[in-house]
Amino acid sequence: AVYGCLFGIMITVLEMPSVYCCKSGNVSASVRYYCRFLEFTWGRGVFFFFVGSLQATNFNMLDWAVGGYMMFVGVTAIIAGLAAAKNLRLLKFSIKNEEDLKRKWEEADVDGNGSLDVKELTAFVQGAGINMTTNEIASTYMTLDKNFDEKITYEEFYMWWMNHEDGQGGSGISV
């Protein structure tokens, strides 16, 4: 029961938008720094599945239900993260060079604030000819927003694009 409470608090801090608590961004960034796999949607999915399996080992119906739900959420996050990683590789290869990236960025940034919100990111991805589900867009958004400020700046996107430019973006689980 103690582990369930501690892990539940950890999950809440990880998933809480930083606008609701001024310190949650710092705590979330620290947890993601020390547990790097939690930076990725598939990693959080594995963690959710683990926490759910711990909860499901308790011997009452409520714990089984909560544990089963957490395992379902974990599997869903793993699937969405892996699918988003595949689509992000396609997105990366659809951008030919830095000028092309800048042009597509400026087209998608309709409000001109230098960052993309979820709607603008969706337009950016669709403009590149990549179709993503809502869950894949959410997974992509959480992955690209490195400073957890609820927006993707050009610099964040550019750093992701440059780090994956050689086509060695890992084993396909970079989201």
Side-chain angles (χ1 to χ4, degrees):
V2 173
Y3 287 118
C5 289
L6 290 175
F7 289 148
I9 292 168
M10 187 178 198
I11 289 169
T12 302
V13 168
L14 282 173
E15 299 300 329
M16 182 186 323
S18 59
V19 295
Y20 294 127
C21 179
C22 58
K23 298 292 184 190
S24 73
N26 296 335
V27 173
S28 179
S30 296
V31 170
R32 290 175 190 210
Y33 177 79
Y34 290 109
C35 301
R36 290 242 187 242
F37 70 96
L38 293 174
E39 182 176 337
F40 306 110
T41 303
W42 64 265
R44 286 192 303 279
V46 169
F47 183 62
F48 294 167
F49 188 86
F50 171 73
V51 172
S53 67
L54 285 177
Q55 193 69 30
T57 61
N58 293 325
F59 297 107
N60 67 53
M61 200 60 119
L62 181 61
D63 286 328
W64 289 345
V66 171
Y69 179 75
M70 284 298 295
M71 289 188 288
F72 172 76
V73 169
V75 168
T76 303
I78 292 167
I79 291 169
L82 293 176
K86 177 184 158 252
N87 286 329
L88 271 176
R89 279 196 312 278
L90 295 174
L91 176 64
K92 184 257 169 262
F93 290 119
S94 74
I95 301 169
K96 306 297 181 213
N97 53 42
E98 190 173 345
E99 293 79 30
D100 190 31
L101 172 65
K102 189 69 170 168
R103 182 181 53 76
K104 288 180 180 184
W105 182 273
E106 289 171 355
E107 289 172 5
D109 185 18
V110 293
D111 59 8
N113 66 355
S115 63
L116 298 183
D117 59 21
V118 174
K119 198 180 271 189
E120 291 170 330
L121 177 64
T122 303
F124 183 89
V125 169
Q126 289 174 342
I130 310 297
N131 293 320
M132 288 186 165
T133 66
T134 303
N135 289 338
E136 292 168 355
I137 289 289
S139 175
T140 299
Y141 198 83
M142 289 187 308
T143 299
L144 295 176
D145 183 17
K146 292 297 182 189
N147 62 357
F148 317 111
D149 64 351
E150 307 294 321
K151 58 187 173 186
I152 300 171
T153 63
Y154 178 78
E155 291 76 23
E156 289 171 323
F157 193 87
Y158 180 78
M159 291 304 296
W160 168 81
W161 183 71
M162 286 300 294
N163 288 335
H164 292 79
E165 187 172 18
D166 61 359
Q168 303 299 317
S171 61
I173 53 175
S174 62
V175 173

